[in-house]
């Protein structure tokens, strides 16, 4: 990690071999993401800010999104009025803010849609997002392989999901279920926490009460995982294999140390916010991505969810948040 | 007995509450055009009886015959529809609605689904004029009216129904002398139209003046019927109510000279309420304040007590000046106030009687911050016995007591602890004849222990009979100050009404 | 009016002529004036921080319309909430009912019935759930807090089940267009709010329904003794609140062109707060529609101001807390009688 | 009713011996019995669905301990909330105060002062914020709902600022170990809850402080005229609630070995609901600590049951709403006098 202001961010500084590194036309990037109430979202905002700060030719204009989609829509209206060159937008809800994307694009402002997707292709110039379904699949495969390797025929598998009313949680769970199914496994108990450590603790405790012996648990979010680990300690349950989600620095460190049931985490990296800023700059300057043949930035980029284990933890530590 | 003009007949009506037999077999017979008085001690079941009549309670057994037919009113609306209107003992008005809205609550005149507000206001004005209070503005909020004003609204509500029977549960309790005269005029007008009135009061003289026949309740049963209101001797009535033969007597004043000066009030003012009031109370002395309703006496008492902050003037107790606007300081200095509105100002209805009684003394009965239930109950039981509380059970919740017994609880609070100066605002409102005599004894007994008493009552005989010295107030000013023996009831009435009589005369002229 | 005070003693109810500033019947007006003062203050703060925007009359008008538009759904809910609170109750389920009505009316099946079918569904779901609240409270004798809290939890659960926890997109052109229509330059949603508030005002102040609501909230026992069917009326009050939720659900769906189970989160707190700031007594019996509406607009203006001044979220929260306290304090400091009023509550 | 019994008519004053089922002073006991009935019902449901678990006495004991442990933080808050509600108020800020006290005591700077420093900080922050609530309500004369709502919003904002919106991990071994310590096989946190509840019970039922609380909630004007300093006491009540939040913050930090601004979400609703289900009157003047604690345990048991039976989230919500209604209805159906009580509220 590099950088000053918000510490602990993931950015990519100027690479002198990259022709895009040279300062170009001045670009004003408007940015909006939901109010941070947990680590991942906070990292998104911090990354975007930090990445923008690495460019001399970028003016970064962040607007606060408020507590729900309606509030975010209201601030975005004021953002359009200020005519930025590009808007990077992580909406509260892609479907609810689709109309805004259409409006901004119609007003001639390209929109980089970050993570939560607009359903309408006309609503964005470029979409960069994580792969929630893929994240579940990665976790499912890791657990499936590990249990097969241990020769457990009908394993007891628990799942501690995030906020259940979010679509992304649903997608993750579906991916997890689908991947497990390829091994003939199913989830025995699924609890939904609220992305906070205290709710993670509560749901994990419930899970342990329900299942006397567990073989593996997937916890969707490393932040709430702090609570899951606390619950494991206080109820002395360590017989299983734990897989995390998102890829926080603390989790990656724990995996590297290999002294707890946490053996892996599947990424959903907030580094995508840094990338989104880079893409927005290129779009604003009408440049393409240097390694690609295309003269312009592509329409859609989906991050692969990677599995971090003891073996590769050191390489990923840099991207932990 | 002739049946033709009997409009209401109750036979053997029984009503029980958990743990109490409120009515244990009541007979009542009311004729058209009569004023039928209900007499009985506090807790005898009078209010319960009329609540049965007006559809609030359903009787457990017994029959109610209305206009010759057996009825069972399911709710107050049904009773009202049948022609029975009630003025309840506890004023049942909505404070944040206007006078007119309160009068027509539940049967608002409507046109096209909208409340016809002008018609409602006009009709209300009409009824108020009939009641002799044309000056009351129908759009005024009830919240700002005095108790008497509120009583007027209750009355107007009863009249707004086309009732054949109007029940009045202690309507005169909050009324001053002249207002009571006015009430009687209205009752006479009603009965002249053939409307029957059931009248409940603890003031025997009222019953003699307005009543036709009397039914006496005792412990939830009818103990006497068809007594002529005017001629039955008081001794008779009282003994049928109480089983004893006490009369309405004031205890003799002791010979002892009043002791040191306890309370000294100098030049007390509160704008719009009272002006430049000075008075003093000595230990062992009862000072009474007479005056009309609305003459500012309650405000004066509350200001002396520190519940309101004076604009100017001082209150001194035992030589030390009291911190203005601090009830805590007053209580510490030995003052106690039994306020006028028992439900809103004095009682926690859901709490047991003993906790209500020890509200200002539980901290003194506590040791190191820990309260003592035993000590509190014992102390409260003592006061309850002294006041003849019925039922004599200090663990019952105060809300289940009858009106008069609730009043005793309020007074009882200041019999506990070291109250040196007792301020009583209408202490006998709603208290029955027997208990009243006992209350007077208790108050007199306190003075013998050196307690000073400052008393406000709208019943002039009470002030004159009980107090050693009397102040007469009018329009927030003290206009007379003399020993009690030097005034007669007529003198006082002349004094308090002088001004108004003059203006009334002018207006009439 | 002459100076003689004598009639007062004779006639305890006599009305001396009182000035606007002391007349107890004018007290709601005075409170509302104070609240408008708060609004002006917020405007001035905005103008100081962003003079270039507030200097432009067109922008100012436009911004006001945006504020009204954003306030519209919560405003409609607050009309219902005002009735409930005046009637002595509370409704914690409004946010959940909006979500439930919203996702129900945007299911594929319902959308196939067209705009009318969707509107009918939303309103029916709102009224139906409101009736359940009302029956539990009036006839089941549950404390309103508990009954509507249970409804909150249950309705959000049902909404999650119906929507499959997915955001449901509305494809209905008519519904979607409501939010973007601006007859005479005024957002349609703002007009709907004004219409609902006006109806609410008439209902509260000019009909027996409204008067009975005040009576029940002010003194339920008195209302009962006066022959009012308190239970039935209470039940109807919750149905009315449910109706408002149904309407708000349509408005919110139109704004977002979609619905989801997590929509309208914590609207209950906002609606209650707006009503109380507008002078509605939480213990019932007193309150005005106008006051509640000003309360709603104050909240929407605060949110708007935060957006315009780009205040960071955490600072927003702190400032918002302060403004709420301030708004109530201002009403008190200015007018002594208000102060006395609050002591008594 | 048959022929009269002479003693009764003669002396209505005498207390007829009333059975446990009709004595009004025993009413809280009857309610609590009904609530315990609900708990037993929940147990039976669990036993029917997962007989293999409930058949194992060791597991059953263990599970009860887990329920108590999970109920502990919210239980401590509910003790404070019970006082507040009995005293005629409401505190919407408890969840936010837990979060604020939690993140404040887990900042790097505070953690450097060690366990004692952290505990002191949490308690001081809780009491301080509670005092602010109390001053605003008692001396600023704000309605409790508004004052504590403002505090809710502001405290969450401040917590977000202090924590930099990050989950703060506690590295303090002592604090972290509290949650995992089990003297005599009973979780330490459960013991803390029992201790706080016992202290609360004594405070409410045996001290002048408790008596004043009941008096003020029952009739504030009567309390004032009896010489009780209503304002000061009201202020202290909110400070007490803040103290409970501070303690709960430590407990929650210990459970999750971390704190964050979004922690203890909606604890206020749970605490209020538990108190009301436990028989506390929302209008003040009546309530019991025991009832509130049973209410808390019922909620924790429901959550536990959901986990054990693997109930999906949306079904959880619907069932939870139903159970809340049921719990209150059961109390009413069984005991007539309870019914009457509720009519009057
Ligand atoms: N709701 C109730 N619950 C329990 N007991 C009640 C209830 N209402 C009245 N009682 C009891 O019934 C008896 C009769 O009370 P009631 O109010 O009818 O007396 P009353 O004759 O009107 O007395 P007062 O002259 O003091 O008004 C009393 O013992 C009272 O305690
Ligand atoms: N809350 C109020 N707002 C406005 N005026 C009031 C209020 N309370 C009382 N008043 C008026 O103040 C005056 C004094 O009333 P107060 O009740 O003190 O008289 P009082 O001598 O104690 O009579 P009572 O015998 O009824 O107690 C009356 O004119 C009354 O209408
Ligand atoms: Mg009575
Ligand atoms: Mg008076």
């Amino acid at each position: 990690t590099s950088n000053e202001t918000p510490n602990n961010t993931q950015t990519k500084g100027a690479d002198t071999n990259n022709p895009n590194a040279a300062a170009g036309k001045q670009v004003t990037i408007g940015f909006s993401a939901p109010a941070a109430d947990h680590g991942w979202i906070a990292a998104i905002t911090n990354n975007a800010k930090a990445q923008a700060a690495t460019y001399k030719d970028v003016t970064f204009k962040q607007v606060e999104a408020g507590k729900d989609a309606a509030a975010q829509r209201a601030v975005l209206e004021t953002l359009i009025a200020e005519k930025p060159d590009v808007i990077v937008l992580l909406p509260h809800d892609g479907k609810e803010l689709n109309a805004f994307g259409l409006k901004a694009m119609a007003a001639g402002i390209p929109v980089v849609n970050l993570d939560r997707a607009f359903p309408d292709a006309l609503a964005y110039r470029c979409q960069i997002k994580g792969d929630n379904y893929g994240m579940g699949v990665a976790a499912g495969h890791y657990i499936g392989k590990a249990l097969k390797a241990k020769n457990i025929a009908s394993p007891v598998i628990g799942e501690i999901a995030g906020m259940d009313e979010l679509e992304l949680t649903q997608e993750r769970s579906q991916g997890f279920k689908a991947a497990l199914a390829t091994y003939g496994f199913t989830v025995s108990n699924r609890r939904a926490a609220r992305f906070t450590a205290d709710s993670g603790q509560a749901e994990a405790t419930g899970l342990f009460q329900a299942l006397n012996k567990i073989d593996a648990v997937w916890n969707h979010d490393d932040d709430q995982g702090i609570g899951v680990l606390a619950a494991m300690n206080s109820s002395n349950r360590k017989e299983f294999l734990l897989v995390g989600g998102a890829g926080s620095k603390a989790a990656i460190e724990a995996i590297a140390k290999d002294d707890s049931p946490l053996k892996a985490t599947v990424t959903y990296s907030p580094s995508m916010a840094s990338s989104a800023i880079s893409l927005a700059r290129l779009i604003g300057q009408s440049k393409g991505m240097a390694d690609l043949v295309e003269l312009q930035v592509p329409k859609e980029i989906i991050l692969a969810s990677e599995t971090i284990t003891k073996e590769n933890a050191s390489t990923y530590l840099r991207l932990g948040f | 007995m002739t049946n033709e003009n009997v409009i209401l007949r109750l036979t053997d009506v029984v009503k029980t509450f958990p743990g109490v037999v409120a009515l244990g077999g009541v007979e009542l017979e009311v004729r058209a055009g009569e004023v039928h008085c209900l007499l009985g001690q506090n807790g005898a079941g009078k209010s319960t009886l009329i609540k049965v009549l007006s559809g609030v309670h359903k009787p457990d057994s017994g029959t109610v015959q209305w206009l010759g037919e057996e009825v069972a009113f399911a709710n107050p609306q049904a009773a009202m529809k049948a022609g029975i209107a009630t003025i309840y003992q506890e004023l049942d008005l909505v404070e944040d609605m206007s006078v007119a809205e309160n009068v027509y609550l539940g049967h608002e005149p409507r046109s096209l689904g909208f409340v016809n507000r002008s018609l409602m206001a006009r009709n209300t004005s009409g009824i108020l004029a009939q009641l002799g209070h044309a000056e009351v503005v129908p759009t005024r909020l009830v919240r700002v009216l005095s108790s008497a004003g509120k009583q007027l609204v209750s009355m107007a509500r009863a009249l707004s129904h086309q009732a054949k029977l109007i029940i009045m549960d202690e309507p005169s309790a909050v009324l001053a002398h002249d207002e009571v005269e006015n009430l009687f005029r209205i009752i006479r007008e009603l009965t002249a139209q053939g409307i029957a009135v059931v009248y409940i009061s603890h003031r025997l003289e009222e019953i003699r003046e307005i009543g036709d026949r009397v039914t006496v309740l005792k412990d939830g049963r009818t103990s006497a019927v068809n007594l002529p209101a005017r001629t039955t001797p008081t001794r008779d009535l009282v003994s049928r109510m109480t089983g004893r033969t006490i009369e309405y007597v004031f205890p003799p004043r002791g010979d002892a000279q009043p002791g040191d000066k306890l309370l000294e009030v100098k030049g007390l003012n509160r704008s719009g309420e009272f002006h430049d009031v000075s008075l003093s109370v000595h230990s062992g002395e009862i000072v009474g304040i007479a005056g009309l309703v609305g003459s500012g006496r309650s405000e004066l008492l509350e200001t002396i007590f520190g519940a309101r902050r004076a604009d100017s003037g001082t209150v001194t107790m035992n030589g030390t000046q009291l911190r203005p606007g601090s009830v805590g300081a007053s209580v510490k200095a030995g003052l106690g106030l039994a306020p006028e509105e028992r439900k809103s100002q004095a009682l926690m209805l859901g709490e047991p009687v003993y906790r209500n009684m020890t509200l200002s003394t539980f901290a003194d009965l506590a040791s190191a911050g820990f309260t003592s239930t035993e000590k509190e109950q014992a102390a409260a039981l003592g006061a309850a016995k002294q006041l003849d509380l019925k039922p004599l059970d200090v663990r019952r919740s105060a809300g289940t007591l009858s009106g008069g017994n609730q009043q005793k609880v309020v007074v009882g609070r200041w019999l506990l602890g070291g109250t040196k100066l007792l301020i009583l605002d209408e202490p006998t409102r709603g208290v029955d004849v027997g208990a009243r005599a006992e209350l007077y004894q208790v108050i007199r007994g306190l003075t013998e222990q050196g307690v000073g008493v400052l008393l406000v009552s709208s019943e002039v005989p009470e002030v004159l009979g009980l107090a050693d010295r009397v102040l007469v107030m009018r329009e927030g000013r003290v206009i007379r100050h003399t020993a009690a023996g030097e005034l007669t009831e007529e003198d006082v009435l002349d004094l308090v009404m002088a001004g108004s009589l003059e203006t009334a005369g002018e207006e009439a002229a | 009016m002459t100076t003689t005070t004598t009639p007062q003693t004779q006639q305890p109810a006599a009305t001396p002529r009182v000035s606007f500033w002391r007349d107890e019947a004018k007290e709601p007006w005075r409170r509302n004036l104070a609240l408008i003062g708060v609004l002006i203050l917020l405007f001035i703060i905005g103008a100081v921080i962003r003079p270039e925007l507030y200097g432009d009359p067109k922008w100012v008008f436009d911004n006001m319309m945006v504020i009204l538009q954003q306030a519209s759904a919560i405003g409609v809910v607050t009309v219902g909430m005002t009735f409930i609170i005046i009637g002595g109750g509370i409704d914690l389920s409004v946010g959940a009912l909006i979500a439930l009505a919203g996702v129900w009316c945007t299911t594929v099946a319902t959308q196939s019935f067209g705009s009318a079918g969707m509107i009918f569904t939303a309103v029916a779901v709102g009224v139906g759930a409101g009736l359940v609240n009302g029956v539990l409270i009036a006839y089941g004798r549950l404390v309103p807090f508990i009954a509507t809290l249970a409804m909150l939890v249950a309705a959000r659960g049902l909404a999650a089940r119906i929507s499959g926890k997915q955001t449901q997109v509305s494809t209905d052109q008519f519904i979607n267009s409501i939010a973007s229509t601006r007859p005479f330059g005024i957002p349609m949603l703002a007009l709907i709010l004004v219409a609902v508030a006006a109806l609410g005002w008439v209902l509260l102040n000019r009909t027996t329904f409204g008067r009975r609501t005040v009576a029940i909230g002010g003194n339920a026992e008195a209302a009962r003794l006066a022959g009012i069917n308190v239970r039935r009326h209470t039940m109807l009050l919750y149905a009315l609140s449910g109706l408002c939720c149904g309407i708000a659900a349509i408005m919110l769906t139109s704004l977002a062109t979609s619905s989801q189970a997590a929509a309208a989160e914590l609207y209950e707190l906002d609606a209650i707060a707006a009503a109380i700031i507008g002078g509605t007594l939480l213990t019932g019996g007193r309150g005005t529609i106008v006051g509640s509406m000003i309360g709603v607009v104050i909240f929407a203006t605060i949110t708007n101001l935060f957006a315009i001044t780009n205040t960071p979220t955490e600072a927003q929260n702190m400032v918002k807390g302060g403004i709420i306290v301030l708004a109530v304090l201002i009403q008190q400091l200015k007018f002594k009688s208000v102060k006395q009023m609050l002591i008594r509550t």
Side-chain angles (χ1 to χ4, degrees), chain B residues 14 16-21 24 61 218-219 221 305-307 327-328 331 337 339 342-348 350-351 354-355 358-360 362-363 366 369-371 373 376 389-393 395-397 400 413-414:
Chain B
V14 173
T16 58
F17 293 109
V20 197
V21 183
S61 64
K218 179 169 177 293
D219 301 333
R221 321 187 111 244
F305 187 59
V327 173
V331 171
L337 168 75
R342 58 176 173 255
K343 271 201 176 162
S344 65
Q345 295 186 294
L347 292 174
M348 303 168 295
E351 287 284 286
Y354 80 88
R355 288 191 173 200
T358 57
L359 186 60
S360 58
F362 67 81
F370 288 90
T371 53
T373 306
E376 286 185 37
L389 188 77
K390 281 181 188 167
L392 190 60
D393 176 3
R395 285 168 310 167
R396 284 177 70 108
S397 63
T400 64
R413 175 177 304 160
W414 299 105

Side-chain angles (χ1 to χ4, degrees), chain B residues 132-195:
Chain B
H133 283 280
E135 83 289 351
V136 175
V137 182
T139 53
R140 214 74 218 276
L141 291 192
V142 160
R143 169 153 48 99
V144 301
L145 299 183
S146 64
S147 300
K150 288 174 184 168
Q151 181 73 66
L152 192 69
V153 178
S154 285
M155 185 90 64
R157 181 192 284 172
L159 293 188
S160 73
H161 294 276
Q162 298 305 313
K164 296 190 187 65
L165 169 67
I166 298 184
I167 305 173
M168 305 183 180
D169 196 356
E170 302 197 34
S172 59
V174 296
L175 298 183
H177 217 273
D178 56 335
E179 294 284 339
V180 175
E181 284 307 320
N182 193 26
L183 172 66
F184 288 172
R185 180 182 58 75
I186 296 156
I187 292 179
R188 287 193 191 99
E189 282 170 24
L190 290 173
T191 50
Q193 296 166 36
I195 296 172

Side-chain angles (χ1 to χ4, degrees), chain B residues 282 300 408:
Chain B
H282 294 252
L300 173 64
K408 293 182 198 169

Side-chain angles (χ1 to χ4, degrees), chain C residues 67-81:
Chain C
I67 291 176
L68 278 184
Q69 160 141 342
Q70 294 300 332
S72 57
I74 186 87
V76 167
V77 172
T78 305
V79 170
M81 185 67 84

Side-chain angles (χ1 to χ4, degrees), chain A residues 62 64 93 96 164 167 170, chain C residues 165 167 260 307 310-311 313:
Chain A
Q62 186 201 350
E64 291 286 335
D93 185 301
E96 286 198 62
D164 217 20
E167 273 194 37
Q170 302 304 314
Chain C
K165 300 175 200 162
T167 304
Q260 59 181 145
N310 195 24
T311 317
T313 325

Side-chain angles (χ1 to χ4, degrees), chain B residues 25 58 72 132 248 252 303 344-345 355 375 399 415 464 467 497:
Chain B
K58 279 191 205 85
Y248 195 85
T303 310
S344 65
Q345 295 186 294
R355 288 191 173 200
K375 279 194 222 164
L415 301 184
L464 294 181
M497 296 204 268

Side-chain angles (χ1 to χ4, degrees), chain B residues 257-263 280-285 318 420-421 450-452:
Chain B
Q257 285 299 307
D260 303 333
K261 191 181 275 181
L262 271 179
L263 178 80
S280 64
V281 182
H282 294 252
S283 110
E285 179 189 45
N318 262 339
K420 296 197 204 89
L421 184 97
V451 173

